[in-house]
Amino acid sequence: MKKSVFAAMSSILVLSAALAGCGGGDKAGEQGSKPAGEQTSGPKELRMNMMSEPPTADPALAEDSTSSAVLRATFDGLTRIGEDGKPHPSVAEKIDVSEDGLTYTFTLRDSKWSNGEPVTAKDFEYAWKRALDPKTASNYSYQLYYLKNAEEYNKGKAKADDVGVKATDDKTLVVTLKNPTPFFLELTAFYTYYPVNQKVVEGNDKWAGEAATHVGNGPFKMETWEHKSKLVLVKSDTYWDKDVVKLDKLNFSMVEDANTELSMFDNDDLDWSGAPLSSLPTDAIPALKESGQMQTRPIAGTYMYKFNTEVPPFNNAKIRKAFAYAIDRKSIIDNITQANQEPAMGLIPPTMAVATSPYFKDGDVEAAKKLLEEGMKEEGITKMPTLTLSFNTSEGHKKIAEAIQDQWKKALGVDIKLENKEWKVFLEDVNQGKFQIARSSWTGDYNDPYTFLDLFKDKDGGNNDTKWENPKYKELLNQSALEKDPEKRKQILAQAEAIFMDEMPAVPIYYYTHSYVKKDKVKGVVLDGLGFVDWKWADIQ
């Protein structure tokens, strides 16, 4: 998925069987609630910290983990990833899939927007076409390319009416895909596929920026948004499944400093500290581990540095690989992150891996020096200039950047300038190509390796800030979409990953884990294997 601020048959039953092997959710605490008489008195409020201001609360524009968490709370899709980590009907009450796997017919249940208006199939059709409209400039528009003619419309080669989504009446949405997509019902739980209220959107182009004008259809609704200070969500009385929502309020602070956040937790001002919305202070991790307070679980995510391949010297693949090979990942994990991460020797995390062996050796300084020398010769460079490594505000990012700065100096003799930016500014600058090397990360949007490889498919893809593109790589990904044999498809994807690792537009550093501490009274928060958080079933007991 998503850039992180820190670090899916003729019925739904057929789909559930097909996805039985997908990674499941993990409830942070015992699931279920006590009888009403045993509940804590007063409103049930969960207090957390998000390390930065959400860049947006508009499903079409979101591209990061902070925004996605807010959207998951305030919106609901045709499907929703349940407590078991699998997609289940949500706003859709019934789902029929054609035998060829190309046509999905969603029958909607009675549900309402937070302003009391009914949610209709037209809201979904409008939202999907809006995200695909080039004027919207959605960085995640490519996530809808599974629909027939969606890519063509987004690139100005087809009309909106040609896109494979149509509301045939208020309760029926018919979707036609380009190719059979086994994980499509996982995608319909993803935020780019959420509906939006057409009247609200077209009535105010700033609708998603303030609590007073924000309208969603999820378990919670916005009550307060004091920018860069706090965000308060309250239980929605119009949500179709409101009877299962136990929390009355989600209260988010916005504190950038991890040490301050942990102090707030220790002083009982927060009920949760750390992932998925922030990070624990690296210096505190050993003690938290030893005390047994810290909970850690792997997620399908890769922490990496990306190169701007359109500007020297990183237009040269050998130079990019030199910088990748010179990093000592194990020392970073042992001395800085310290949360059972694994060194990333490929782009795709272990739970989805297609490779049978590592693509290179960790900290291979000799190979790095040789590659740098060859790359500089090819580019006519006699001395490497001072280069800039950009990262967003975080103690952990800073320490990792300082360590790699030192490693590159010692191994390659290159001077690196570090540049720290606030999250929203950082995202905007990287999206606009204003960087040389930038901190990055990716967590899966669905449980398939394609979610990592697709990120780098098109030079102009919304989230491909490297601007790298390779014709053979694109051909292999297109081929994989047509291959029905799982093992052959895996081999095709492995060939694609090998091309990526040979050209190294981005440097994998480690595979993510989520580490956090929480109060014992917090139950039922769902953290899935992709790193998503859902508070629909959360409780304070």
Side-chain angles (χ1 to χ4, degrees):
M1 169 188 119
K2 56 246 165 237
K3 301 170 182 178
S4 171
V5 66
F6 336 101
M9 292 195 354
S10 59
S11 71
I12 191 68
L13 295 175
V14 175
L15 170 96
S16 297
L19 294 181
C22 292
D26 183 44
K27 289 165 277 186
E30 294 293 326
Q31 180 59 25
S33 60
K34 297 179 183 179
E38 295 181 41
Q39 297 290 355
T40 305
S41 59
K44 295 185 175 184
E45 178 180 355
L46 176 60
R47 302 163 301 167
M48 300 181 70
N49 181 52
M50 49 179 63
M51 200 168 264
S52 64
E53 167 94 350
T56 184
D58 182 340
L61 300 180
E63 57 173 321
D64 67 292
S65 58
T66 307
S67 299
S68 75
V70 174
L71 291 171
R72 195 165 294 268
T74 55
F75 285 86
D76 204 7
L78 294 166
T79 56
R80 194 174 188 95
I81 303 301
E83 298 164 283
D84 58 0
K86 300 172 186 175
H88 295 271
S90 202
V91 176
E93 189 171 39
K94 181 172 176 282
I95 305 171
D96 293 305
V97 186
S98 63
E99 287 189 17
D100 62 6
L102 291 176
T103 305
Y104 287 68
T105 303
F106 298 90
T107 304
L108 276 57
R109 67 177 79 247
D110 290 334
S111 65
K112 293 181 179 179
W113 292 102
S114 55
N115 65 3
E117 296 176 358
V119 176
T120 70
K122 183 67 178 176
D123 293 323
F124 284 91
E125 179 184 353
Y126 171 75
W128 296 7
K129 289 179 177 178
R130 172 177 176 256
L132 285 166
D133 189 336
K135 296 176 185 174
T136 304
S138 169
N139 282 338
Y140 247 133
S141 58
Y142 70 88
Q143 196 66 283
L144 291 150
Y145 283 3
Y146 301 95
L147 307 183
K148 183 179 179 181
N149 290 321
E151 181 175 5
E152 289 79 1
Y153 171 50
N154 184 242
K155 294 181 176 179
K157 299 176 182 176
K159 302 187 298 293
D161 288 345
D162 298 328
V163 178
V165 55
K166 182 69 177 176
T168 56
D169 58 47
D170 284 352
K171 291 292 182 69
T172 309
L173 187 74
V174 180
V175 179
T176 307
L177 304 185
K178 185 186 305 183
N179 299 303
T181 306
F183 46 82
F184 186 65
L185 292 186
E186 287 190 68
L187 284 170
T188 53
F190 189 71
Y191 53 82
T192 314
Y193 283 79
Y194 286 165
V196 292
N197 186 305
Q198 183 173 358
K199 186 168 68 175
V200 169
V201 173
E202 295 183 344
N204 176 9
D205 59 3
K206 306 291 186 185
W207 71 277
E210 303 294 337
T213 52
H214 191 269
V215 174
N217 69 322
F220 302 91
K221 63 182 179 181
M222 276 195 202
E223 181 182 72
T224 305
W225 191 352
E226 295 178 10
H227 293 283
K228 298 188 177 182
S229 177
K230 73 174 183 178
L231 180 71
V232 180
L233 308 179
V234 296
K235 179 177 177 176
S236 174
D237 56 3
T238 63
Y239 182 51
W240 73 269
D241 205 17
K242 65 182 180 181
D243 291 346
V244 310
V245 181
K246 303 177 184 74
L247 290 180
D248 295 300
K249 184 180 289 188
L250 285 158
N251 196 328
F252 299 101
S253 305
M254 295 181 193
V255 175
E256 287 187 342
D257 184 70
N259 287 292
T260 303
E261 177 186 319
L262 187 58
S263 294
M264 292 171 68
F265 176 83
D266 290 337
N267 293 331
D268 203 29
D269 294 320
L270 292 177
D271 303 308
W272 189 297
S273 179
L277 297 183
S278 58
S279 59
L280 295 170
T282 55
D283 292 342
I285 286 176
L288 291 173
K289 285 169 70 175
E290 188 175 347
S291 70
Q293 278 185 279
M294 190 175 84
Q295 300 187 37
T296 300
R297 62 190 309 270
I299 65 166
T302 305
Y303 188 101
M304 58 183 129
Y305 282 172
K306 64 179 69 171
F307 297 114
N308 185 337
T309 67
E310 289 193 323
V311 298
F314 296 120
N315 56 321
N316 186 285
K318 288 182 179 177
I319 293 176
R320 298 194 296 264
K321 287 169 73 174
F323 278 72
Y325 288 13
I327 297 174
D328 183 349
R329 293 155 181 77
K330 189 173 187 306
S331 71
I332 290 169
I333 293 166
D334 290 346
N335 300 307
I336 301 175
T337 61
Q338 305 179 75
N340 302 324
Q341 293 92 348
E342 286 186 39
M345 314 312 295
L347 174 65
I348 302 169
T351 55
M352 303 178 183
V354 292
T356 55
S357 60
Y359 289 99
F360 61 98
K361 188 173 77 173
D362 187 25
D364 193 345
V365 174
E366 291 309 311
K369 287 179 176 178
K370 185 172 184 293
L371 283 163
L372 182 63
E373 183 182 343
E374 292 174 358
M376 289 174 64
K377 187 175 181 180
E378 289 175 1
E379 298 302 317
I381 301 172
T382 55
K383 187 180 187 303
M384 288 292 286
T386 297
L387 301 169
T388 301
L389 168 57
S390 307
F391 57 94
N392 57 291
T393 305
S394 160
E395 177 213 13
H397 296 334
K398 182 173 183 287
K399 288 187 174 183
I400 292 169
E402 289 172 342
I404 292 177
Q405 175 190 42
D406 184 59
Q407 290 176 7
W408 282 341
K409 177 64 175 177
K410 289 177 178 175
L412 303 175
V414 180
D415 291 314
I416 303 293
K417 174 188 172 185
L418 302 184
E419 185 178 63
N420 171 57
K421 299 179 182 179
E422 182 266 333
W423 179 232
K424 189 174 183 178
V425 175
F426 173 79
L427 272 183
E428 289 172 351
D429 285 352
V430 171
N431 286 344
Q432 292 170 20
K434 298 177 182 177
F435 75 99
Q436 288 181 302
I437 315 165
R439 187 209 75 85
S440 183
S441 64
W442 197 256
T443 54
D445 295 331
Y446 46 90
N447 195 17
D448 189 275
Y450 196 89
T451 186
F452 284 85
L453 299 169
D454 187 34
L455 174 63
F456 300 96
K457 183 180 178 182
D458 292 304
K459 177 180 180 178
D460 297 322
N463 284 312
N464 184 9
D465 303 313
T466 71
K467 299 304 178 185
W468 173 81
E469 190 175 85
N470 179 286
K472 181 61 177 176
Y473 183 84
K474 291 179 68 170
E475 180 188 328
L476 287 166
L477 292 189
N478 290 336
Q479 188 180 338
S480 75
L482 302 172
E483 181 53 63
K484 296 180 180 179
D485 184 303
E487 192 54 42
K488 289 181 180 177
R489 180 174 180 269
K490 182 178 178 179
Q491 292 171 7
I492 293 168
L493 294 176
Q495 291 178 53
E497 186 183 28
I499 290 173
F500 177 89
M501 295 305 298
D502 186 52
E503 298 207 2
M504 205 74 77
V507 182
I509 299 175
Y510 63 79
Y511 300 122
Y512 267 113
T513 58
H514 267 175
S515 296
Y516 58 91
V517 291
K518 72 175 189 69
K519 304 297 185 184
D520 291 340
K521 65 182 179 180
V522 180
K523 311 291 183 183
V525 176
V526 175
L527 298 172
D528 72 16
L530 298 175
F532 289 120
V533 59
D534 199 335
W535 297 287
K536 175 177 175 174
W537 299 277
D539 198 3
I540 300 290
Q541 294 182 4

